[in-house]
Amino acid sequence: DVRSLFDTAPLFEALLMMNAVRDGEIDVASLNRLRSRHAQFTLHERMHWLLDQGIAKVRRQGLILYYSLDQSHRAYRSLKRLLDRIGQVWPEMVEAAATNDTIKTERRRTIDRNAKTRSAVRGARS
């Protein structure tokens, strides 16, 4: 049901941010930084719901969980198109997501980049 995806502001904004960030994945701490009006436990709960529904997937880096839209989900293309259109009429959300990497420390950006590289190498070996 599409209404359940946009039922609450935290879920709706998490979907928009996952779609808008440059790397296509975001952690709950970044969501809290970018849209701080929501309680962290609410976001964790919403992200787990997205995982349970198969709409999102997760990549673990140490203790941090990075969430992204799951491209293998049957509704991925339709959802992506919808989120892209919403981003066109709500550009401040896209701009907020674009600042995500710039507000991270250089050390955090390096850790993220290295972890993604390691994940890609592991995936290529499988």
Side-chain angles (χ1 to χ4, degrees):
D1 183 9
V2 174
R3 287 176 298 182
S4 59
L5 290 177
F6 304 107
D7 195 24
T8 64
L11 187 57
F12 174 63
E13 291 174 354
L15 287 166
L16 284 172
M17 290 291 178
M18 276 190 284
N19 187 57
V21 290
R22 183 171 35 105
D23 291 336
E25 64 180 13
I26 195 163
D27 62 298
V28 172
S30 294
L31 284 169
N32 278 321
R33 258 194 317 275
L34 297 170
R35 306 302 287 180
S36 59
R37 64 185 170 170
H38 306 295
Q40 194 169 21
F41 66 88
T42 302
L43 285 171
H44 279 289
E45 180 182 313
R46 299 295 182 207
M47 300 311 281
H48 286 289
W49 182 84
L50 287 173
L51 289 173
D52 291 343
Q53 299 303 310
I55 296 166
K57 62 182 181 177
V58 68
R59 176 179 67 85
R60 180 180 292 277
Q61 176 186 314
L63 298 175
I64 301 171
L65 300 176
Y66 288 92
Y67 298 93
S68 61
L69 296 174
D70 190 344
Q71 295 180 8
S72 66
H73 189 273
R74 60 183 165 74
Y76 170 77
R77 289 179 194 211
S78 299
L79 179 60
K80 174 97 172 101
R81 255 190 328 271
L82 178 61
L83 293 172
D84 287 343
R85 287 182 182 166
I86 293 170
Q88 289 173 352
V89 296
W90 201 4
E92 55 270 14
M93 285 296 284
V94 176
E95 291 167 11
T99 65
N100 186 48
D101 278 343
T102 60
I103 59 178
K104 289 180 184 177
T105 64
E106 183 59 37
R107 181 177 182 274
R108 174 72 184 270
R109 284 192 297 258
T110 302
I111 290 169
D112 289 351
R113 193 172 40 249
N114 291 344
K116 282 193 85 160
T117 302
R118 283 191 301 273
S119 292
V121 169
R122 273 188 236 126
R125 287 187 211 154
S126 301

